[in-house]
Amino acid sequence: MTRKGFDFWEAERLSLEESRTLGWVTDDVAWADKHGYGSRIDAKHERARLTNRNVAYRAGLSDERRAAYDRALDEGIDAPVITAEVPTGGTVRKRVGGCVAEAEKHLYGDRVAWFRAEKTAMGLQPLYVPQVMADKRFAAALASWSQCMARSGHTYRTPQEARQAAIEHGLKAGPGEAFEAERKLAVADATCAKNTSLRSIGNERETHYVNKLRDRYGSDLDTYARLQLQALARAKKVVEPRT
C-alpha cells in the first residue's frame, strides 16, 4: 500500500494467550478460570476492529482517492475471481486482487491452491462430524461429561449447549454478573472435559473419521497442511511473535 501511495497500519493483535482457539471443547481449566469462554476477548477484538486506523484513514480520503485506495487494496469488483469445489457440493468463489492478493501470494505461494485446499479441508466437517457424534466411544465420553456437569449443577448434553447458555445469559445480565457466570460454567465445562478425556477422545475419533476420507480427499488435506506450515514459516520472518 505504501508503494501505491497510501498509509496502512497493521491491525491490533491479540496476545498469544488470547488468540488461542477453543475448538468444540476445552479442557484447560486455568484458561477457563481466567477467560471463561472468551467473551471479553471477543469484545476486545471487536473494539479493535471498530477503531481500526485504516477505516478512519479511508473515510478521510476524497472520493477519487478512496476509489484508488480500494483498487490498490483488493481491486474491488474488478478483482480476479478464484473458485473451489466443496465436498458437500457446490462452488465457492473469492474475488481479490491488489495488495491483498500480493500478500496472500507471498504467504502461501500458490494462493489458488491454498484457497481450494482450505475450502476442501474445512468443507469435510459435514461429512465426518455426524460420524463422530454417532461413535460409541465418543458418545460414552460425552455422556460422562454431561453427568459430570449435572453433578456440578449444570444440565447440558453437550459443551455447545453450555457455551450457548453462557452467551444467552450474557445478553440478559450485566457485564460483571454475566462474566462471573460464564467463568464458573466454563471452569465446570473444562474440568469435566479433562476428567472424562472428552477432548482427547473427540480428537482421536475425529482423526479416525477424517482419515477414512483420505482416499478421496487425501491430496487436498496434504496440500492444506503443507501450505499452512510453509505460510507459518514465512509469517515468522515477517511478523514479530505474539507475547
Side-chain angles (χ1 to χ4, degrees):
M1 291 297 285
T2 300
R3 290 198 312 269
K4 295 187 178 184
F6 297 99
D7 293 332
F8 198 86
W9 294 269
E10 180 186 353
E12 179 183 346
R13 295 192 297 163
L14 297 173
S15 69
L16 182 62
E17 179 179 322
E18 292 171 330
S19 61
R20 63 177 296 178
T21 55
L22 292 181
W24 63 277
V25 65
T26 180
D27 56 5
D28 189 333
V29 179
W31 195 95
D33 188 44
K34 184 175 181 179
H35 300 290
Y37 286 117
S39 64
R40 289 183 171 178
I41 297 173
D42 292 340
K44 178 181 177 180
H45 180 71
E46 180 64 10
R47 287 194 300 270
R49 186 186 70 82
L50 293 174
T51 58
N52 189 309
R53 292 179 68 184
N54 298 304
V55 175
Y57 173 76
R58 179 185 179 278
L61 298 174
S62 67
D63 290 346
E64 182 179 354
R65 286 284 288 166
R66 192 178 304 121
Y69 177 96
D70 292 342
R71 287 194 300 273
L73 182 64
D74 61 14
E75 296 185 35
I77 61 173
D78 296 323
V81 176
I82 56 179
T83 63
E85 304 296 323
V86 293
T88 52
T91 302
V92 292
R93 294 173 174 80
K94 179 178 180 179
R95 185 189 300 275
V96 64
C99 291
V100 173
E102 183 178 324
E104 288 185 355
K105 183 177 180 180
H106 180 68
L107 188 62
Y108 297 109
D110 187 338
R111 67 188 191 91
V112 175
W114 164 254
F115 177 71
R116 291 174 176 168
E118 181 193 31
K119 294 306 177 186
T120 298
M122 296 299 99
L124 291 178
Q125 289 185 358
L127 302 183
Y128 68 77
V129 168
Q131 293 179 302
V132 173
M133 297 301 294
D135 182 90
K136 291 182 179 179
R137 283 188 59 205
F138 178 76
L142 189 60
S144 295
W145 174 90
S146 183
Q147 292 162 7
C148 174
M149 289 290 282
R151 290 193 294 271
S152 299
H154 306 291
T155 54
Y156 301 109
R157 294 174 298 173
T158 67
Q160 290 82 354
E161 282 189 6
R163 201 173 298 184
Q164 183 61 35
I167 293 172
E168 292 175 359
H169 181 73
L171 296 175
K172 302 174 184 176
E177 177 192 342
F179 181 72
E180 184 60 19
E182 173 192 336
R183 187 188 66 79
K184 289 181 178 179
L185 181 57
V187 167
D189 183 347
T191 300
C192 287
K194 184 176 182 179
N195 291 343
T196 60
S197 300
L198 180 60
R199 182 181 179 88
S200 59
I201 291 173
N203 288 343
E204 189 276 328
R205 292 287 82 194
E206 178 180 325
T207 299
H208 171 77
Y209 289 108
V210 169
N211 284 339
K212 284 192 168 186
L213 299 170
R214 291 193 66 85
D215 284 350
R216 183 172 180 181
Y217 300 106
S219 177
D220 296 294
L221 290 170
D222 290 342
T223 298
Y224 175 70
R226 175 175 56 81
L227 294 181
Q228 190 175 51
L229 288 173
Q230 290 176 357
L232 177 61
R234 292 180 183 125
K236 286 180 177 179
K237 297 177 182 179
V238 176
V239 182
E240 290 295 324
R242 300 188 190 208
T243 57

